[in-house]
Amino acid sequence: MTAILLPVFIVCVTVVATELAAAWIHRVVMHGPGWRWHKSHHEPRRGALERNDLYSLIFAGLSMGLFWAGATVASPLWWVAVGLCVYGVIYFCVHDGLVHHRWPFRHVPRRGYLRRIYQAHRLHHAVRDRDGCVAFGFVFVPPVARLRAELRANQRLQDDGSSNAPWPGRDQS
């Protein structure tokens, strides 16, 4: 039984940890020094691909490296790689398919958690610049009312000129 439960546990923990890491990377890296790539994701898309898709290649490479390490060095790393792939499929389906309609069909959820994810990400894209955005997670998102209030507060800070940095300790270079 442990032979089945441990891999399932590793995969589940990896999916949750990846969401937490992705939200941090999105906020700090993509809306920071990596904005040059990520900016394309906040602009109208021209064609099937955008520069932001390069981040997916980095994460896919990390997963492939973990598959290799898991097969040759330590087998638990193989299950971590599976967890990264599971997260990648969730991201592809929810973020690229449901939210950004990068598939040939469109569906806008009318209720439930998928609607909350959809609305949260739309609020994230309500800001075209790298600063003042909300909802950096892709799968676990705060309530929409809280995000709307945070977005209004960020806009007031920028409109008042009372702060150029919506997040403390964040340089604007």
Side-chain angles (χ1 to χ4, degrees):
M1 189 64 150
T2 304
I4 294 171
L5 290 180
L6 183 58
V8 169
F9 177 75
I10 292 171
V11 169
C12 291
V13 167
T14 300
V15 169
V16 172
T18 303
E19 168 65 5
L20 297 173
W24 184 85
I25 290 166
H26 188 189
R27 178 187 296 262
V28 174
V29 175
M30 293 178 180
H31 281 256
W35 178 249
R36 197 166 150 194
W37 284 6
H38 187 62
K39 181 180 180 184
S40 67
H41 188 62
H42 285 261
E43 297 172 338
R45 191 175 60 245
R46 295 175 222 103
L49 299 174
E50 54 192 41
R51 184 178 279 178
N52 183 67
D53 293 333
L54 292 169
Y55 285 113
S56 296
L57 295 178
I58 291 171
F59 299 127
L62 175 63
S63 183
M64 288 187 291
L66 286 168
F67 273 121
W68 175 84
T72 60
V73 180
S75 64
L77 292 178
W78 197 88
W79 293 108
V80 171
V82 169
L84 281 175
C85 286
V86 167
Y87 183 83
V89 168
I90 293 168
Y91 176 89
F92 177 71
C93 292
V94 173
H95 179 265
D96 287 349
L98 182 73
V99 176
H100 287 290
H101 305 293
R102 291 179 80 174
W103 297 358
F105 61 88
R106 292 178 182 252
H107 172 70
V108 177
R110 302 216 183 274
R111 61 185 162 286
Y113 193 70
L114 289 179
R115 177 167 171 81
R116 183 165 144 187
I117 290 173
Y118 182 85
Q119 289 177 314
H121 204 72
R122 288 311 210 192
L123 288 171
H124 176 78
H125 282 274
V127 177
R128 293 254 185 229
D129 293 327
R130 72 180 200 171
D131 298 320
C133 291
V134 297
F136 291 90
F138 298 110
V139 178
F140 305 129
V141 295
V144 172
R146 190 167 107 201
L147 293 173
R148 283 188 180 124
E150 184 181 341
L151 185 61
R152 280 191 298 273
N154 289 350
Q155 288 170 337
R156 272 195 304 274
L157 282 174
Q158 289 176 339
D159 291 345
D160 293 347
S162 55
S163 172
N164 288 333
W167 301 288
R170 166 102 180 272
D171 84 23
Q172 297 296 303
S173 57

